[in-house]
């Protein structure tokens, strides 16, 4: 669900580094450098990158700027091809049967492990070329005045992908705004060790 939806899941982050004033003018170029690249006409398994908050097909921000007052709004798009297990099993079986027939005609009695691996990779590549990728879009809102970044997902894999791409794009690091980091930010440095040594308690 997008950030403009009536309900959604969010992960909050804090940018804890000091950002120079001229950095904000670089945002469009930085986003375009790491923009999403379409894989519909390829056999690639997945592609990811930034795209417009307003239109996931607008990877050049032609319709709307990512700047929204003191906010930045853009999105992470991830396209993934998935081969249903039953489809893979069927076509792998057909390819292996064909390979056995061809090898037997040459006097080879069985398909070697390396040959099986190569056959599997070829089958996977052919199926990827026939399957359209499934798009997923995760909204990003960056409150530049507060240094807070909102990411429209709580999925661990999506969060990891977002954090890595954010760092590569902006050369900045994100700190999750979970209860631990919230407490650590307001705790005296001398008492932080106590926070690190706390263990969860079960009350049932």
């Amino acid at each position: 669900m997008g950030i403009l939806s009536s309900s959604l899941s969010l992960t909050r982050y804090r940018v804890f580094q000091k950002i120079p004033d001229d950095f904000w003018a670089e945002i469009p170029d930085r986003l375009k450098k790491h923009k999403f690249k379409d894989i519909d006409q390829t056999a690639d398994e997945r592609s990811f990158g930034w795209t417009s908050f307003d239109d996931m097909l607008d990877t050049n921000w032609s319709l709307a700027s990512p700047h929204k007052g003191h906010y930045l709004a853009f999105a992470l798009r991830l396209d993934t091809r998935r081969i249903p297990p039953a489809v893979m099993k069927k076509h792998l079986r057909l390819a292996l049967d064909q390979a056995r027939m061809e090898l037997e005609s040459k006097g080879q009695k069985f398909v070697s492990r390396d040959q099986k691996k190569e056959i599997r990779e070829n089958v996977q590549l052919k199926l990827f070329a026939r399957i359209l990728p499934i798009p997923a879009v995760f909204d990003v809102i960056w409150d530049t005045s507060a240094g807070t970044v909102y990411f429209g997902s709580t999925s661990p894999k999506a969060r990891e992908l977002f954090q890595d791409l954010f760092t590569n794009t902006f050369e900045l690091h994100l700190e999750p705004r979970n209860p631990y980091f919230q407490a650590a930010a307001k705790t005296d440095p001398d008492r932080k060790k106590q926070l690190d040594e706390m263990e969860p308690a079960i009350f049932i």
Side-chain angles (χ1 to χ4, degrees), residues 9-13 46 76 78 138 151-165 174 176 178:
S9 298
L10 276 177
T11 301
R12 291 192 305 162
Y13 295 93
R46 76 169 188 166
L76 169 62
L78 168 65
F138 307 96
F151 177 59
S153 177
T154 56
S155 162
K157 290 184 178 180
R159 292 200 328 257
E160 182 180 0
L161 180 65
F162 165 67
Q163 291 166 197
D164 289 344
L165 186 57
L174 294 171
N178 56 32

Side-chain angles (χ1 to χ4, degrees), residues 90-100 119 123:
K90 169 191 170 182
H91 287 271
L92 181 59
R93 167 70 185 280
L94 291 171
L96 286 171
D97 287 348
Q98 180 66 30
R100 288 191 184 97
I119 291 170
V123 168

Side-chain angles (χ1 to χ4, degrees), residues 44 57 77 121 134 151 164 186:
D44 294 344
L57 300 180
R77 179 174 168 184
E121 290 173 350
I134 302 170
F151 177 59
D164 289 344
K186 298 180 180 180

